[in-house]
Each structure stands twice: as structure tokens, then as C-alpha cells.
Amino acid sequence: MSLVIEQAVEARLVAAAPRMASIPATLGYDVRDPFAVCMSFPAPATLEGVEVRWTFARELLTAGLTETAGAGDVRVRPYGYDRTVLEFHAVEGTAIVHIRTGELERFLSDTAALVPVGEESLYVDLDGDLAELLRDAY
């Protein structure tokens, strides 16, 4: 069984971006970080010309499908019948993308099949994570 999920999605770029109205993006989920999801944008779609990866709570993405969620760097909200808006706020500016809600629902369903919602803590290796943090402290 795979420990990582990657799903390509098409993001419609709304604001603060170079050249592209529609960009490929990738949603990711890794069992080793069960509370988080990530979204990656390819280098041609970014102002810096390098791949950009945002990591945020799976719970935030889930909540944003039905109501406005998030108050920090990543915000998610429903938009119309079949779209979800993701806003990414950084010092350099804000990127706003629309993604088909069905694509996000499918991705979240796949993550829940891998790690059921509410059982994330069973997949966290606290001892291993603590050992890694402390490794360089001595």
C-alpha cells in the first residue's frame, strides 16, 4: 500500500500571477504527516520561476469545501456550485485559484481511505519525530 497520494488538478488562476489563466497543480498527502496536505505549483506558474509548495491542514481543506475556513496564509471557501477557492498569502503577494470541488472531494476521499479522519494521531511517530528534533541539539 502506498504511503503517498499525489493528484494532478487544474487550477484556474484568478489574481497575482504571471502569464497563465489555468495552471497545473498537484495535491499531495503523505501518511508520515497525516494532518497535512500540500499543493504544489510548477515553476512556470510562479513569480520566482521555481516550484512552490504550500503545506496546510487537511482539516482546513475539508472545512473550506462548505464554508469559509482559514485566517492565516492559506484560506479556503466554496465558490458557486462546483468550485472551491484557495487563497495563498505570502510577503510577495497573494495567489487565488479556483479548483473543481469534485477534484478536491476525490482527493480528500483518497486521503481518508489511507488515514481515516480522526485517526491521524495513530500514524504520528512522536518518539521518532522528537529524536530527530533533538538529534542536532547535543
Side-chain angles (χ1 to χ4, degrees), residues 53-108:
R53 179 183 174 117
W54 288 83
T55 301
F56 51 98
R58 174 169 72 164
E59 182 178 55
L60 172 67
L61 184 58
T62 301
L65 297 180
T66 57
E67 63 186 9
T68 299
D73 294 343
V74 179
R75 301 171 193 173
V76 185
R77 69 178 184 278
Y79 181 79
Y81 172 70
D82 68 342
R83 301 280 179 182
T84 300
V85 174
L86 284 87
E87 296 180 16
F88 301 96
H89 297 262
V91 173
E92 300 82 11
T94 300
I96 301 172
V97 296
H98 290 186
I99 298 176
R100 287 187 181 93
T101 302
E103 290 185 284
L104 297 174
E105 290 170 337
R106 185 172 56 253
F107 172 74
L108 289 168

Short mmCIF file of all heavy atoms in Angstrom, two decimals, residues 53-108:
data_model
loop_
_atom_site.label_atom_id
_atom_site.label_comp_id
_atom_site.label_asym_id
_atom_site.label_seq_id
_atom_site.Cartn_x
_atom_site.Cartn_y
_atom_site.Cartn_z
N ARG A 53 5.52 25.13 -3.10
CA ARG A 53 4.74 24.10 -2.40
C ARG A 53 4.18 24.69 -1.12
O ARG A 53 4.93 25.22 -0.30
CB ARG A 53 5.64 22.91 -2.10
CG ARG A 53 4.97 21.78 -1.37
CD ARG A 53 6.00 20.70 -1.08
NE ARG A 53 5.44 19.67 -0.27
CZ ARG A 53 5.31 18.41 -0.64
NH1 ARG A 53 5.74 18.05 -1.83
NH2 ARG A 53 4.79 17.52 0.15
N TRP A 54 2.88 24.61 -0.96
CA TRP A 54 2.20 25.07 0.24
C TRP A 54 1.73 23.85 1.02
O TRP A 54 1.12 22.95 0.46
CB TRP A 54 0.99 25.92 -0.13
CG TRP A 54 1.34 27.27 -0.67
CD1 TRP A 54 1.70 27.57 -1.96
CD2 TRP A 54 1.39 28.49 0.04
NE1 TRP A 54 1.96 28.90 -2.07
CE2 TRP A 54 1.77 29.50 -0.86
CE3 TRP A 54 1.16 28.84 1.37
CZ2 TRP A 54 1.91 30.83 -0.49
CZ3 TRP A 54 1.29 30.16 1.74
CH2 TRP A 54 1.67 31.14 0.83
N THR A 55 1.97 23.84 2.32
CA THR A 55 1.51 22.76 3.19
C THR A 55 0.55 23.36 4.20
O THR A 55 0.84 24.39 4.81
CB THR A 55 2.70 22.09 3.90
OG1 THR A 55 3.59 21.57 2.90
CG2 THR A 55 2.23 20.95 4.78
N PHE A 56 -0.58 22.70 4.38
CA PHE A 56 -1.61 23.20 5.29
C PHE A 56 -2.45 22.03 5.79
O PHE A 56 -2.30 20.90 5.33
CB PHE A 56 -2.46 24.28 4.62
CG PHE A 56 -3.02 23.90 3.28
CD1 PHE A 56 -4.32 23.43 3.15
CD2 PHE A 56 -2.25 24.03 2.13
CE1 PHE A 56 -4.83 23.09 1.91
CE2 PHE A 56 -2.75 23.69 0.88
CZ PHE A 56 -4.04 23.21 0.77
N ALA A 57 -3.34 22.29 6.73
CA ALA A 57 -4.11 21.24 7.38
C ALA A 57 -5.14 20.60 6.45
O ALA A 57 -5.86 21.30 5.73
CB ALA A 57 -4.83 21.80 8.61
N ARG A 58 -5.21 19.30 6.48
CA ARG A 58 -6.24 18.58 5.74
C ARG A 58 -7.62 19.04 6.21
O ARG A 58 -8.53 19.20 5.41
CB ARG A 58 -6.07 17.06 5.93
CG ARG A 58 -7.18 16.24 5.31
CD ARG A 58 -6.89 14.77 5.26
NE ARG A 58 -6.95 14.12 6.56
CZ ARG A 58 -7.02 12.80 6.72
NH1 ARG A 58 -7.02 11.99 5.68
NH2 ARG A 58 -7.05 12.27 7.92
N GLU A 59 -7.74 19.28 7.50
CA GLU A 59 -8.99 19.74 8.10
C GLU A 59 -9.42 21.09 7.50
O GLU A 59 -10.61 21.34 7.29
CB GLU A 59 -8.81 19.85 9.61
CG GLU A 59 -10.04 20.27 10.37
CD GLU A 59 -9.77 20.30 11.86
OE1 GLU A 59 -8.83 20.99 12.30
OE2 GLU A 59 -10.54 19.64 12.58
N LEU A 60 -8.46 21.98 7.22
CA LEU A 60 -8.75 23.27 6.61
C LEU A 60 -9.35 23.07 5.21
O LEU A 60 -10.35 23.71 4.86
CB LEU A 60 -7.48 24.13 6.53
CG LEU A 60 -7.57 25.42 5.74
CD1 LEU A 60 -8.50 26.40 6.42
CD2 LEU A 60 -6.19 26.03 5.57
N LEU A 61 -8.75 22.21 4.43
CA LEU A 61 -9.25 21.94 3.08
C LEU A 61 -10.66 21.36 3.14
O LEU A 61 -11.55 21.78 2.40
CB LEU A 61 -8.30 21.01 2.33
CG LEU A 61 -8.64 20.72 0.88
CD1 LEU A 61 -8.70 22.01 0.06
CD2 LEU A 61 -7.62 19.77 0.28
N THR A 62 -10.88 20.44 4.05
CA THR A 62 -12.20 19.82 4.20
C THR A 62 -13.25 20.86 4.59
O THR A 62 -14.32 20.93 3.98
CB THR A 62 -12.15 18.70 5.26
OG1 THR A 62 -11.19 17.72 4.85
CG2 THR A 62 -13.50 18.04 5.44
N ALA A 63 -12.94 21.67 5.58
CA ALA A 63 -13.90 22.68 6.04
C ALA A 63 -14.21 23.69 4.95
O ALA A 63 -15.35 24.14 4.79
CB ALA A 63 -13.35 23.39 7.28
N GLY A 64 -13.20 24.06 4.16
CA GLY A 64 -13.37 25.07 3.13
C GLY A 64 -14.25 24.64 1.97
O GLY A 64 -14.64 25.47 1.15
N LEU A 65 -14.58 23.37 1.88
CA LEU A 65 -15.48 22.92 0.82
C LEU A 65 -16.91 23.41 1.06
O LEU A 65 -17.69 23.56 0.11
CB LEU A 65 -15.48 21.39 0.71
CG LEU A 65 -14.16 20.73 0.31
CD1 LEU A 65 -14.33 19.22 0.26
CD2 LEU A 65 -13.64 21.27 -1.00
N THR A 66 -17.27 23.65 2.32
CA THR A 66 -18.65 24.02 2.65
C THR A 66 -18.80 25.38 3.31
O THR A 66 -19.90 25.91 3.39
CB THR A 66 -19.28 22.96 3.57
OG1 THR A 66 -18.48 22.82 4.75
CG2 THR A 66 -19.40 21.62 2.86
N GLU A 67 -17.69 25.94 3.82
CA GLU A 67 -17.75 27.25 4.48
C GLU A 67 -16.37 27.90 4.43
O GLU A 67 -15.37 27.22 4.21
CB GLU A 67 -18.21 27.11 5.93
CG GLU A 67 -17.25 26.29 6.78
CD GLU A 67 -17.77 26.01 8.19
OE1 GLU A 67 -18.94 26.29 8.47
OE2 GLU A 67 -16.98 25.51 9.00
N THR A 68 -16.33 29.20 4.63
CA THR A 68 -15.05 29.90 4.64
C THR A 68 -14.21 29.37 5.80
O THR A 68 -14.68 29.27 6.93
CB THR A 68 -15.28 31.41 4.80
OG1 THR A 68 -16.04 31.85 3.66
CG2 THR A 68 -13.97 32.16 4.85
N ALA A 69 -12.95 29.03 5.50
CA ALA A 69 -12.07 28.46 6.52
C ALA A 69 -10.67 29.07 6.36
O ALA A 69 -10.22 29.34 5.26
CB ALA A 69 -12.00 26.94 6.37
N GLY A 70 -10.02 29.26 7.48
CA GLY A 70 -8.65 29.76 7.48
C GLY A 70 -8.58 31.24 7.76
O GLY A 70 -9.43 32.01 7.32
N ALA A 71 -7.54 31.62 8.50
CA ALA A 71 -7.33 33.03 8.82
C ALA A 71 -5.87 33.41 8.61
O ALA A 71 -5.49 34.53 8.85
CB ALA A 71 -7.74 33.31 10.26
N GLY A 72 -5.08 32.47 8.15
CA GLY A 72 -3.64 32.70 8.01
C GLY A 72 -3.22 32.78 6.56
O GLY A 72 -3.88 33.39 5.72
N ASP A 73 -2.12 32.11 6.25
CA ASP A 73 -1.53 32.15 4.91
C ASP A 73 -2.36 31.41 3.87
O ASP A 73 -2.26 31.69 2.68
CB ASP A 73 -0.12 31.56 4.93
CG ASP A 73 0.85 32.39 5.74
OD1 ASP A 73 0.53 33.57 6.01
OD2 ASP A 73 1.91 31.87 6.11
N VAL A 74 -3.14 30.44 4.31
CA VAL A 74 -3.98 29.67 3.38
C VAL A 74 -5.43 29.79 3.84
O VAL A 74 -5.75 29.57 5.00
CB VAL A 74 -3.57 28.18 3.34
CG1 VAL A 74 -4.47 27.40 2.39
CG2 VAL A 74 -2.10 28.04 2.93
N ARG A 75 -6.28 30.16 2.88
CA ARG A 75 -7.71 30.30 3.16
C ARG A 75 -8.47 29.55 2.07
O ARG A 75 -8.07 29.56 0.91
CB ARG A 75 -8.11 31.77 3.18
CG ARG A 75 -7.32 32.53 4.23
CD ARG A 75 -7.52 34.01 4.14
NE ARG A 75 -6.49 34.68 4.96
CZ ARG A 75 -6.29 35.96 4.98
NH1 ARG A 75 -7.05 36.76 4.25
NH2 ARG A 75 -5.35 36.47 5.74
N VAL A 76 -9.59 28.94 2.47
CA VAL A 76 -10.36 28.11 1.54
C VAL A 76 -11.84 28.45 1.72
O VAL A 76 -12.31 28.62 2.84
CB VAL A 76 -10.13 26.60 1.81
CG1 VAL A 76 -10.84 25.74 0.79
CG2 VAL A 76 -8.63 26.28 1.85
N ARG A 77 -12.57 28.51 0.58
CA ARG A 77 -14.01 28.77 0.67
C ARG A 77 -14.71 28.23 -0.57
O ARG A 77 -14.11 28.15 -1.65
CB ARG A 77 -14.29 30.25 0.84
CG ARG A 77 -13.97 31.10 -0.36
CD ARG A 77 -14.32 32.58 -0.14
NE ARG A 77 -14.11 33.36 -1.32
CZ ARG A 77 -12.94 33.86 -1.72
NH1 ARG A 77 -11.86 33.62 -1.01
NH2 ARG A 77 -12.85 34.57 -2.82
N PRO A 78 -15.98 27.88 -0.42
CA PRO A 78 -16.74 27.44 -1.59
C PRO A 78 -17.00 28.62 -2.51
O PRO A 78 -17.06 29.78 -2.08
CB PRO A 78 -18.04 26.90 -0.99
CG PRO A 78 -18.14 27.47 0.38
CD PRO A 78 -16.76 27.83 0.81
N TYR A 79 -17.16 28.32 -3.81
CA TYR A 79 -17.44 29.36 -4.79
C TYR A 79 -18.40 28.79 -5.83
O TYR A 79 -18.01 27.91 -6.61
CB TYR A 79 -16.14 29.82 -5.46
CG TYR A 79 -16.33 30.92 -6.47
CD1 TYR A 79 -16.49 32.24 -6.07
CD2 TYR A 79 -16.35 30.63 -7.83
CE1 TYR A 79 -16.67 33.25 -6.99
CE2 TYR A 79 -16.52 31.64 -8.76
CZ TYR A 79 -16.68 32.94 -8.34
OH TYR A 79 -16.84 33.95 -9.26
N GLY A 80 -19.62 29.26 -5.79
CA GLY A 80 -20.60 28.77 -6.75
C GLY A 80 -20.94 27.31 -6.53
O GLY A 80 -20.71 26.73 -5.46
N TYR A 81 -21.46 26.71 -7.58
CA TYR A 81 -21.96 25.33 -7.49
C TYR A 81 -20.85 24.29 -7.43
O TYR A 81 -20.95 23.32 -6.69
CB TYR A 81 -22.87 25.05 -8.69
CG TYR A 81 -23.29 23.62 -8.81
CD1 TYR A 81 -24.18 23.06 -7.90
CD2 TYR A 81 -22.78 22.82 -9.82
CE1 TYR A 81 -24.56 21.74 -8.01
CE2 TYR A 81 -23.17 21.49 -9.94
CZ TYR A 81 -24.06 20.96 -9.03
OH TYR A 81 -24.43 19.65 -9.12
N ASP A 82 -19.78 24.48 -8.20
CA ASP A 82 -18.81 23.39 -8.33
C ASP A 82 -17.36 23.82 -8.21
O ASP A 82 -16.47 23.13 -8.69
CB ASP A 82 -19.03 22.68 -9.66
CG ASP A 82 -18.66 23.55 -10.87
OD1 ASP A 82 -18.56 24.78 -10.70
OD2 ASP A 82 -18.48 22.99 -11.97
N ARG A 83 -17.10 24.93 -7.59
CA ARG A 83 -15.72 25.41 -7.43
C ARG A 83 -15.41 25.67 -5.97
O ARG A 83 -16.28 25.99 -5.17
CB ARG A 83 -15.49 26.71 -8.21
CG ARG A 83 -15.73 26.63 -9.68
CD ARG A 83 -14.58 26.03 -10.38
NE ARG A 83 -14.88 25.95 -11.81
CZ ARG A 83 -14.08 25.44 -12.68
NH1 ARG A 83 -12.92 24.95 -12.31
NH2 ARG A 83 -14.41 25.38 -13.95
N THR A 84 -14.14 25.58 -5.67
CA THR A 84 -13.62 25.95 -4.36
C THR A 84 -12.47 26.91 -4.59
O THR A 84 -11.66 26.71 -5.50
CB THR A 84 -13.14 24.71 -3.57
OG1 THR A 84 -14.26 23.82 -3.40
CG2 THR A 84 -12.59 25.08 -2.21
N VAL A 85 -12.40 27.96 -3.79
CA VAL A 85 -11.35 28.96 -3.89
C VAL A 85 -10.29 28.67 -2.84
O VAL A 85 -10.61 28.46 -1.67
CB VAL A 85 -11.90 30.39 -3.67
CG1 VAL A 85 -10.79 31.41 -3.62
CG2 VAL A 85 -12.91 30.73 -4.74
N LEU A 86 -9.04 28.65 -3.27
CA LEU A 86 -7.91 28.58 -2.34
C LEU A 86 -7.11 29.87 -2.51
O LEU A 86 -6.79 30.25 -3.63
CB LEU A 86 -7.01 27.39 -2.63
CG LEU A 86 -7.57 26.03 -2.17
CD1 LEU A 86 -8.44 25.44 -3.23
CD2 LEU A 86 -6.45 25.10 -1.83
N GLU A 87 -6.84 30.54 -1.40
CA GLU A 87 -6.03 31.76 -1.40
C GLU A 87 -4.73 31.45 -0.69
O GLU A 87 -4.73 30.91 0.42
CB GLU A 87 -6.73 32.88 -0.64
CG GLU A 87 -8.02 33.35 -1.24
CD GLU A 87 -8.65 34.47 -0.41
OE1 GLU A 87 -7.95 35.09 0.44
OE2 GLU A 87 -9.84 34.73 -0.61
N PHE A 88 -3.64 31.83 -1.31
CA PHE A 88 -2.31 31.64 -0.74
C PHE A 88 -1.68 33.02 -0.54
O PHE A 88 -1.43 33.73 -1.51
CB PHE A 88 -1.45 30.77 -1.66
CG PHE A 88 -2.05 29.40 -1.90
CD1 PHE A 88 -2.81 29.15 -3.03
CD2 PHE A 88 -1.86 28.39 -0.99
CE1 PHE A 88 -3.38 27.90 -3.24
CE2 PHE A 88 -2.41 27.13 -1.18
CZ PHE A 88 -3.17 26.89 -2.32
N HIS A 89 -1.46 33.39 0.71
CA HIS A 89 -0.94 34.71 1.06
C HIS A 89 0.53 34.60 1.46
O HIS A 89 0.87 33.81 2.33
CB HIS A 89 -1.74 35.31 2.22
CG HIS A 89 -3.19 35.52 1.88
ND1 HIS A 89 -3.68 36.74 1.50
CD2 HIS A 89 -4.24 34.67 1.85
CE1 HIS A 89 -4.97 36.64 1.26
NE2 HIS A 89 -5.34 35.39 1.46
N ALA A 90 1.37 35.42 0.83
CA ALA A 90 2.80 35.46 1.15
C ALA A 90 3.25 36.91 1.10
O ALA A 90 2.53 37.78 0.61
CB ALA A 90 3.60 34.62 0.15
N VAL A 91 4.44 37.16 1.58
CA VAL A 91 5.01 38.50 1.55
C VAL A 91 5.03 39.04 0.13
O VAL A 91 4.77 40.21 -0.13
CB VAL A 91 6.43 38.50 2.17
CG1 VAL A 91 7.09 39.84 2.00
CG2 VAL A 91 6.36 38.09 3.63
N GLU A 92 5.33 38.15 -0.84
CA GLU A 92 5.45 38.56 -2.24
C GLU A 92 4.10 38.91 -2.88
O GLU A 92 4.05 39.55 -3.91
CB GLU A 92 6.10 37.45 -3.07
CG GLU A 92 7.50 37.07 -2.63
CD GLU A 92 7.51 36.10 -1.44
OE1 GLU A 92 6.46 35.54 -1.08
OE2 GLU A 92 8.59 35.91 -0.87
N GLY A 93 3.01 38.45 -2.29
CA GLY A 93 1.70 38.71 -2.84
C GLY A 93 0.73 37.59 -2.54
O GLY A 93 1.02 36.69 -1.76
N THR A 94 -0.41 37.65 -3.17
CA THR A 94 -1.47 36.67 -2.95
C THR A 94 -1.81 35.99 -4.28
O THR A 94 -1.94 36.66 -5.30
CB THR A 94 -2.74 37.36 -2.40
OG1 THR A 94 -2.42 37.99 -1.16
CG2 THR A 94 -3.87 36.37 -2.20
N ALA A 95 -1.95 34.69 -4.22
CA ALA A 95 -2.43 33.93 -5.37
C ALA A 95 -3.78 33.35 -5.01
O ALA A 95 -3.96 32.80 -3.92
CB ALA A 95 -1.45 32.81 -5.73
N ILE A 96 -4.72 33.49 -5.92
CA ILE A 96 -6.07 32.97 -5.71
C ILE A 96 -6.36 32.02 -6.86
O ILE A 96 -6.24 32.39 -8.03
CB ILE A 96 -7.11 34.10 -5.67
CG1 ILE A 96 -6.78 35.07 -4.53
CG2 ILE A 96 -8.51 33.52 -5.50
CD1 ILE A 96 -7.62 36.32 -4.52
N VAL A 97 -6.75 30.79 -6.51
CA VAL A 97 -7.06 29.80 -7.54
C VAL A 97 -8.42 29.17 -7.27
O VAL A 97 -8.86 29.06 -6.13
CB VAL A 97 -5.97 28.69 -7.63
CG1 VAL A 97 -4.64 29.26 -8.05
CG2 VAL A 97 -5.83 27.94 -6.32
N HIS A 98 -9.09 28.81 -8.35
CA HIS A 98 -10.34 28.07 -8.29
C HIS A 98 -10.04 26.64 -8.72
O HIS A 98 -9.35 26.43 -9.72
CB HIS A 98 -11.37 28.63 -9.26
CG HIS A 98 -11.92 29.96 -8.87
ND1 HIS A 98 -12.94 30.55 -9.55
CD2 HIS A 98 -11.59 30.82 -7.88
CE1 HIS A 98 -13.23 31.72 -9.01
NE2 HIS A 98 -12.41 31.92 -8.00
N ILE A 99 -10.58 25.69 -7.99
CA ILE A 99 -10.42 24.27 -8.32
C ILE A 99 -11.80 23.63 -8.27
O ILE A 99 -12.63 23.99 -7.42
CB ILE A 99 -9.46 23.58 -7.34
CG1 ILE A 99 -8.08 24.23 -7.43
CG2 ILE A 99 -9.36 22.08 -7.63
CD1 ILE A 99 -7.07 23.71 -6.46
N ARG A 100 -12.04 22.70 -9.17
CA ARG A 100 -13.32 21.98 -9.13
C ARG A 100 -13.46 21.27 -7.78
O ARG A 100 -12.58 20.51 -7.37
CB ARG A 100 -13.41 20.99 -10.27
CG ARG A 100 -13.61 21.64 -11.61
CD ARG A 100 -13.87 20.59 -12.69
NE ARG A 100 -14.04 21.24 -13.97
CZ ARG A 100 -13.05 21.45 -14.84
NH1 ARG A 100 -11.84 21.02 -14.59
NH2 ARG A 100 -13.29 22.08 -15.98
N THR A 101 -14.57 21.49 -7.15
CA THR A 101 -14.82 20.91 -5.84
C THR A 101 -14.77 19.38 -5.90
O THR A 101 -14.24 18.73 -4.99
CB THR A 101 -16.17 21.39 -5.29
OG1 THR A 101 -16.13 22.83 -5.22
CG2 THR A 101 -16.46 20.82 -3.91
N GLY A 102 -15.24 18.81 -6.98
CA GLY A 102 -15.22 17.36 -7.13
C GLY A 102 -13.81 16.79 -7.08
O GLY A 102 -13.58 15.70 -6.54
N GLU A 103 -12.85 17.51 -7.66
CA GLU A 103 -11.45 17.06 -7.61
C GLU A 103 -10.94 17.06 -6.18
O GLU A 103 -10.22 16.13 -5.76
CB GLU A 103 -10.57 17.95 -8.49
CG GLU A 103 -10.81 17.78 -9.97
CD GLU A 103 -9.83 18.58 -10.80
OE1 GLU A 103 -10.00 19.81 -10.89
OE2 GLU A 103 -8.89 17.96 -11.32
N LEU A 104 -11.29 18.09 -5.43
CA LEU A 104 -10.86 18.16 -4.02
C LEU A 104 -11.54 17.08 -3.19
O LEU A 104 -10.91 16.45 -2.34
CB LEU A 104 -11.15 19.55 -3.45
CG LEU A 104 -10.40 20.70 -4.10
CD1 LEU A 104 -10.88 22.03 -3.55
CD2 LEU A 104 -8.90 20.55 -3.92
N GLU A 105 -12.82 16.85 -3.44
CA GLU A 105 -13.54 15.80 -2.71
C GLU A 105 -12.94 14.43 -2.99
O GLU A 105 -12.79 13.61 -2.07
CB GLU A 105 -15.03 15.82 -3.09
CG GLU A 105 -15.76 17.03 -2.55
CD GLU A 105 -17.16 17.18 -3.10
OE1 GLU A 105 -17.46 16.64 -4.20
OE2 GLU A 105 -17.97 17.85 -2.44
N ARG A 106 -12.59 14.17 -4.24
CA ARG A 106 -11.97 12.88 -4.59
C ARG A 106 -10.63 12.72 -3.88
O ARG A 106 -10.31 11.67 -3.32
CB ARG A 106 -11.82 12.76 -6.11
CG ARG A 106 -11.29 11.42 -6.56
CD ARG A 106 -11.32 11.23 -8.08
NE ARG A 106 -10.60 12.26 -8.81
CZ ARG A 106 -11.19 13.23 -9.54
NH1 ARG A 106 -12.50 13.30 -9.61
NH2 ARG A 106 -10.47 14.12 -10.18
N PHE A 107 -9.83 13.78 -3.89
CA PHE A 107 -8.54 13.76 -3.21
C PHE A 107 -8.72 13.49 -1.71
O PHE A 107 -8.04 12.63 -1.13
CB PHE A 107 -7.80 15.08 -3.43
CG PHE A 107 -6.55 15.24 -2.62
CD1 PHE A 107 -5.41 14.53 -2.93
CD2 PHE A 107 -6.53 16.09 -1.53
CE1 PHE A 107 -4.25 14.68 -2.18
CE2 PHE A 107 -5.39 16.24 -0.76
CZ PHE A 107 -4.24 15.53 -1.09
N LEU A 108 -9.64 14.22 -1.09
CA LEU A 108 -9.87 14.04 0.35
C LEU A 108 -10.40 12.65 0.67
O LEU A 108 -10.04 12.06 1.70
CB LEU A 108 -10.80 15.13 0.88
CG LEU A 108 -10.18 16.51 0.95
CD1 LEU A 108 -11.24 17.57 1.20
CD2 LEU A 108 -9.09 16.57 2.03
#
